[in-house]
Each structure stands twice: as structure tokens, then as C-alpha cells.
Amino acid sequence: MKNKSSSVLRLDIATMKYPFFSVTGGEEKRQYQDEKRDVSLVISAPTDCGAPSVMDRDVLTYCQTRLRQLYGPKDLEVFDEFPAIEFSFRKFCATTGRQPGGTSMAYLERALIRLNKSLITTKNICVNKNELAQEPTPFIDFFEITKGEDRKRGRGNDVIIKVRPSRWVHKALIRDYLLVDPDFYNIKSPMARRLFEVGRAFVGDRPGNFVFDLDGLSLLLGLKSPRNKMLSMIKQHIPQLARLDLRLDLKRDGVVYSRIQSEPEELPPVPPELEEDYLNPMNPQEEAEQLLKELTLAKTSCNDQENIGYDEELARTVFGEP
């Protein structure tokens, strides 16, 4: 049986709440601004690669999860230079639900380039009341891909990827993150992924609802679409969110997110010989009287009271007068 606790993903809340990753992908510059709270985000990318997409997030999520599996938060806090993560291409594909072939390799290389060349600039984006760095910084500081005969570690012809996430990403991960089911990787629609990230980040692990007006949700999704088109896109992806225990309801004045609570486990059936007792339980007074009768019978049927440890006064105190 799969150990779910050891396979859960770690996603930092900052990049889940705000549109760091694009639903469409490819833009040279993406901006988010909330004038009311004086919060802003700018992603700048070279023309030859464009900004990271929602699906590129898989690489970062994989690295963040590996970091938290290898190191505790105190370890990550004291590193002068944050450690690089090394992983095999085949293991990455197996975990993220991809086929280990040329298409997946091309995707991984493009994603790594975009994560390395795109720069994040933020203002007042805080995690646990600690503001993250405002200076332009990449998602990952560097990466290295080693193939076939260039490798000398005896792992066959697999490809090994070495990645060091940036200090910004480390701080976001250390301060505040959520545990997410690995089925997150099985959602292949960028729109469904982004809807899940936003809802899960704001709802968190608590019961209850979180309500967005449609304009506010559109900003967090990083989309600018007419209202009717936006509602249609959201409605189309609702069933996929349920796979990750997140409910989304469309209302006239907005969108309501809530967690789907697990169904309580069914109790085992009552054995036939005990069914009468379960269906017709005695009231407390009847039960007390029955117990006292049993104790009295035990007293009179035994020649030596002391051997059975019967205490009539104690019995009457506990069960009352018959």
C-alpha cells in the first residue's frame, strides 16, 4: 500500500496565490498589481524563451518536495549557499506522470531555461509576515544536465539533472507551504491547475468557504477574458478539482471554494449474536440493575466472598439501589 504521507507534494503558498506561472505561457512580461493592498508582481523573460507556464511549475514543485524530504526547515535556514537537488530524468517522469522520451526531455530542458532566465520582482508579497526579496531574482540559480557517457556514477544511460532553486524560492518554501496530493501532477490542463492552486492556497486546510468575485479571481489566475468566457472556462474544469478534494461553486456574484471533507469510515456490521443488544439497548437504570443482579448471583453462588472480590457497599454506591 502506498505511503501517502511520504509521497505528498510541497507547494509554497506565495506562488500558488499569485500568478507567477502563466496559464497560456510564452509572454516576455507579466504583471500583477493589487493597488488596494499595494501588492505587485512582475515576471520578465527574454524573447527567445518566454515566461514559465503553469506546467513548468512541475520542475519547481519536484525540487521543493525533494528539498523538504532531504532537509528540515532549520537546516534550510542556516545554509550559506542553498544546496542543489540532483535527480534522474526517469524518476522525474515517473513521478510527474510523463513518458521518459524525447518529448519529455525537450519539455524539461525548455522549462529549466525559462525558470533560470525569467526574473521575479515582487512588492509586499509576504509569507508569515516576512516579506520576500524585492530584487529581481530567477526561480532557479542554475541547472546542469548530464547525459550518457559523460556521467561516471554507474546509473546506466539515464540522464541526471542538477538544479539549485534560488534563495527567493527557498524562503517561500521554508516560511509557508501546503501539502498536496500527488494527483496534482495528473491534472494536465493549465487552467484547471491554476484554479486549483488559487483555491487551495486561500482555503488552506481549514473547513469553510472562501469567496472570490470574478474580477478578483481573474487577476489571480493571470487571465484577461470576457466575463462569459471566464465563467465557461471555470465551469469546464470544476470536475478535475474534485479529484484533489476541492469544491468550486459558481454563484451569481462570484466563485465559492471549499474543501471536500472525506467521508467517515463505515463501522463494521454488528455480529448477529449482539444484534438484539444494539437494536434494543437498555436504559442506564436497567443496565445498573442488571449488573447488580449479576454481582449478587456471583456472591451467593460462591462459598468464599473474599475470593471474588465482591463489595456490596461499593456496588450499591456505583449502581444505586436496585
Side-chain angles (χ1 to χ4, degrees):
M1 187 174 180
K2 186 178 181 181
N3 184 352
K4 196 167 183 177
S5 63
S6 64
S7 62
V8 290
L9 310 178
R10 273 78 170 171
L11 277 71
D12 71 272
I13 292 179
T15 59
M16 291 176 76
K17 280 186 176 180
Y18 302 103
F20 284 81
F21 297 96
S22 167
V23 173
T24 53
E27 313 103 306
E28 292 175 41
K29 192 172 186 178
R30 184 164 66 258
Q31 293 180 303
Y32 166 83
Q33 188 163 6
D34 183 343
E35 295 179 357
K36 196 174 189 180
R37 295 188 299 148
D38 196 24
V39 171
S40 65
L41 160 69
V42 177
I43 308 288
S44 304
T47 6
D48 60 343
C49 67
S53 72
V54 169
M55 303 311 288
D56 293 340
R57 185 199 181 93
D58 283 0
V59 181
L60 200 65
T61 300
Y62 188 86
C63 291
Q64 288 180 314
T65 301
R66 289 290 296 139
L67 271 173
R68 288 313 300 260
Q69 288 171 343
L70 294 170
Y71 306 101
K74 290 184 179 178
D75 297 325
L76 293 173
E77 286 276 16
V78 299
F79 281 132
D80 292 328
E81 184 175 297
F82 291 116
I85 302 300
E86 189 177 278
F87 56 90
S88 84
F89 171 61
R90 287 178 185 171
K91 178 68 174 174
F92 172 80
C93 289
T95 305
T96 59
R98 292 177 167 84
Q99 292 298 319
T103 303
S104 295
M105 190 69 239
Y107 150 76
L108 180 57
E109 288 184 292
R110 288 195 302 269
L112 287 166
I113 289 169
R114 285 191 284 263
L115 291 167
N116 179 235
K117 290 189 174 182
S118 301
L119 297 178
I120 315 163
T121 307
T122 60
K123 181 183 179 184
N124 288 337
I125 290 184
C126 301
V127 178
N128 285 348
K129 300 182 180 178
N130 295 287
E131 183 169 0
L132 298 169
Q134 296 184 22
E135 300 79 13
T137 182
F139 289 93
I140 61 176
D141 287 338
F142 85 90
F143 71 91
E144 180 181 83
I145 299 175
T146 314
K147 304 180 183 179
E149 64 275 8
D150 295 333
R151 303 187 56 257
K152 299 178 181 179
R153 302 197 182 184
R155 297 183 195 171
N157 293 320
D158 198 0
V159 177
I160 295 299
I161 297 95
K162 192 175 183 179
V163 179
R164 188 171 72 210
S166 69
R167 192 177 190 84
W168 192 100
V169 169
H170 275 283
K171 286 180 69 177
L173 179 64
I174 293 166
R175 302 294 183 191
D176 212 353
Y177 68 92
L178 285 172
L179 301 180
V180 176
D181 193 283
D183 276 347
F184 174 79
Y185 284 132
N186 294 327
I187 295 182
K188 301 304 181 185
S189 160
M191 180 66 175
R193 283 271 192 102
R194 189 70 197 120
L195 281 167
F196 170 78
E197 289 173 3
V198 173
R200 185 74 173 79
F202 281 90
V203 173
D205 293 316
R206 62 183 181 275
N209 300 333
F210 198 96
V211 184
F212 290 98
D213 63 77
L214 196 59
D215 292 337
L217 180 60
S218 299
L219 277 174
L220 291 171
L221 294 174
L223 293 173
K224 295 178 181 178
S225 299
R227 185 181 181 87
N228 288 343
K229 186 177 179 181
M230 179 66 67
L231 286 169
S232 175
M233 286 193 295
I234 292 173
K235 186 175 181 180
Q236 179 185 345
H237 294 97
I238 288 175
Q240 296 188 62
L241 303 188
R243 290 166 53 187
L244 293 168
D245 298 331
L246 192 66
R247 178 181 286 114
L248 190 154
D249 297 308
L250 292 175
K251 303 293 183 184
R252 183 177 297 178
D253 54 347
V255 176
V256 181
Y257 279 100
S258 59
R259 294 296 306 278
I260 298 174
Q261 301 300 319
S262 301
E263 293 291 331
E265 293 185 10
E266 287 190 16
L267 294 173
V270 177
E273 62 271 18
L274 299 178
E275 194 169 290
E276 183 66 25
D277 292 338
Y278 275 83
L279 295 176
N280 302 293
M282 291 186 288
N283 64 43
Q285 183 60 33
E286 288 175 341
E287 189 173 3
E289 290 175 1
Q290 180 65 31
L291 285 170
L292 188 57
K293 284 179 183 177
E294 290 173 6
L295 285 170
T296 305
L297 285 172
K299 171 188 173 183
T300 55
S301 64
C302 183
N303 294 328
D304 189 357
Q305 281 185 215
E306 293 181 0
N307 289 342
I308 65 167
Y310 175 77
D311 188 327
E312 186 172 349
E313 184 180 349
L314 177 60
R316 293 183 182 281
T317 303
V318 173
F319 299 116
E321 293 292 334

